[in-house]
Amino acid sequence: MSVDDRPTLSAPDDDPWLWLEEIEGKQALDFVARQNQLTLAAFGGAAFERDRDVLAAIYDRPDNIPYVSRRGSDLHNLWKDAANPRGLWRRTTLAEFRKPHPAWEIMLDIDQLATSEGEDWLLSGIATMPGRSRAILSLSRGGSDAVTLREFDLDTKSFVAGGFTLPEAKGGVDWIDADTLLLSSAHGEGMATTSGYSRTVRVWRRGQPVDQAQAILETTADHMAMSGMADDTGPAPRVWIVDQIDFFNHAIWLRDAAGTTTKLDLPTGIWMQAHGDWFAMKLRKDWQVEGRTYATDTVLGISLSAFLAGHRDFAVLFEPAPRRALQGLFWADGKLVLSILDELRPRFEICTPSATSWSRETLPGLPEIGVVDIWPLDRHPSESNGDLLANVQDPLTPPSLLLLERGVASPTVLKQAPKTFTADGLVVTQHEAISIDGERIPYVQTGPTGETGDAPVYMSAYGGFAHAVKPYYNPSLGKLWLERGGTIVQANLRGGGEFGTRWHDAGRLAGKKLSHDDFAAVAADLVRRGVTKPMRIAAQGGSNGGILITNMLVRYPERFGALFCTIPLIDMRRYTKLLAGASWIAEYGDPDKPEEWAWLKTYSAYHNVKAGQSYPPILIATTRRDDRVHPGHARKMAAKLQAMGYEAWFYEPEAGGHGYGKDNKERAGFEVIGFRFLKDRIGWKDDD
């Protein structure tokens, strides 16, 4: 009996499921409602509600770390709990924050605002200006990337009557002065790129209709985005403007106080950070300048004024190695902080420029294993006194928030997150699998000591956009998987940024299939080592990881017992036409170019599903308010699999954006529905 398997590789545009791309279409919403009902009937119930409430209570704990940034003399925090599911924007002082139970001043109750205005508001951004008491708040409906902008007075703790306001659009603002904004928004006719982001950077003055705001720089619609940032760290105010050509390439412009705009003569594939009269950059490709060649991933530093005058005598601040790569760089009080992974171990170096040279030191007092993230305490670089915050953790040790004060030799523990699961008898081990081409693929395994050959394993990975995956403390997996006897595995696939550009490039474009081969190799290695067997391996991946999980379904079905695919990208034929999809061409390729579709079609699982195969059961989940990765990807894949007779489940809550929910209870429910499905289908009756 024949099965309708459209779209196919031979007819990739013959798609009978296009109606599911209508996000609010009646037929599509009927499909979603039916699917949600079936999924909740199968995997909901008392056990689901119990586990959801357990997780929500963990996320809502009053002793969770309130992460802060300093604006002026105050520390600001956005806090969510059971009583404030949408959140409280609040502030305190550093002295008060050091206390076990700080006193907080409430700036804005987002739940109260949402109720009073009848809107599904979440607070997604706050733009302030040093020395001023005004802010521009970015309010998101249901967690979407698109935001409404409104001016807020920090003294009166109220919105400014007649102040700056902008209807919903992707993008944001920065303050130039008390009455002038630097606007990078897709709002307005012709103001959006094909990717849906801002095509211009405009100067918007108080009282001026936004459509009369002066565009100081614009790009073509096929570029990804334009953005601007005000900078007051130099001798005079200035503005940096970035023309984001694609995800990894951009042109940089500098606009001085007189309004003169200069394009910097730099390679497009760089990370750059400027402060005062200095800037530093990491190269994405080899760069030859004035007879010298600097290697990919090298970090260079130079005086900005000297560079603008034509000098190219760069200082080399960091040199990579095959398993040593820069993860980020930022300035704090005139010092450049480099974040490094060396064989996946965290390292931090500080480079300080002077008129004659750059000095270098290692940031002391931090663990050499586990996960360490560092960032400036101060929101505005011009206000920084060099104080840093560090978050330290590992899969079995909850986070500690440390303060690294200028002039103080040892970090101070500000806050300690609670232990949310029992870790007795659990160990963290590191391993490597050998992929299809011989490359070593690292992975971290957390679980009971000893190998049983039958462990219920939860595997996850990402493998894209040069994003490095780190083994964080995970309360949900800890409570509902590890504590109940399971094992979790996190893999570092090519396409990520763990080992620099060569690792990323190996797993993007035509190499994306290798990233998927890497994940399958880790699954096979778990069996080879006697940890488990294929039918006991559950795997989850989200966003770019949605391509990964659906490729495990169609390319390596024999290695998994069940799959959970979240907020996914799947249809690689139409992805560039859906929401922000065009912005990812540099990662995947352009399906409208035959030579690039030739590789894209090899990992477009939507087109590679075949009838009569032994696919593992899969749950595909998305959110309706995801305006980054279109929910149509998930809907269409589920519909096609079901029509072909495969066991495919679907779940789509109304809110959540490109995430798992707009509040802690929704987030917990999204995760638990996945856990319940995976456990059931790999035959793990942990409730027993």
Side-chain angles (χ1 to χ4, degrees), residues 591-661:
D592 290 334
K593 296 179 179 178
E595 68 276 15
E596 297 185 14
W597 173 242
W599 73 63
L600 278 162
K601 70 182 181 182
T602 66
Y603 57 84
S604 184
Y606 187 54
H607 295 83
N608 280 283
V609 175
K610 296 180 176 63
Q613 306 301 303
S614 296
Y615 293 152
I618 186 170
L619 168 60
I620 307 175
T622 185
T623 75
R624 196 167 311 155
R625 290 295 295 177
D626 188 348
D627 55 353
R628 192 180 312 172
V629 178
H630 197 291
H633 285 279
R635 293 173 176 181
K636 295 196 304 176
M637 187 65 174
K640 179 177 179 178
L641 286 168
Q642 290 173 2
M644 295 178 71
Y646 291 114
E647 183 182 349
W649 301 83
F650 180 82
Y651 180 63
E652 181 187 298
E654 291 185 20
H658 193 57
Y660 287 179

Side-chain angles (χ1 to χ4, degrees), residues 370-394:
V371 179
V372 183
D373 294 317
I374 289 184
W375 65 96
L377 172 59
D378 293 282
R379 172 62 181 82
H380 297 287
S382 63
E383 294 185 326
S384 174
N385 67 351
D387 290 348
L388 306 175
L389 291 175
N391 207 27
V392 177
Q393 61 193 291
D394 66 41

Side-chain angles (χ1 to χ4, degrees), residues 159-177:
F159 289 103
V160 177
F164 287 108
T165 60
L166 193 71
E168 187 176 62
K170 289 189 177 183
V173 297
D174 204 359
W175 291 91
I176 295 177
D177 59 43

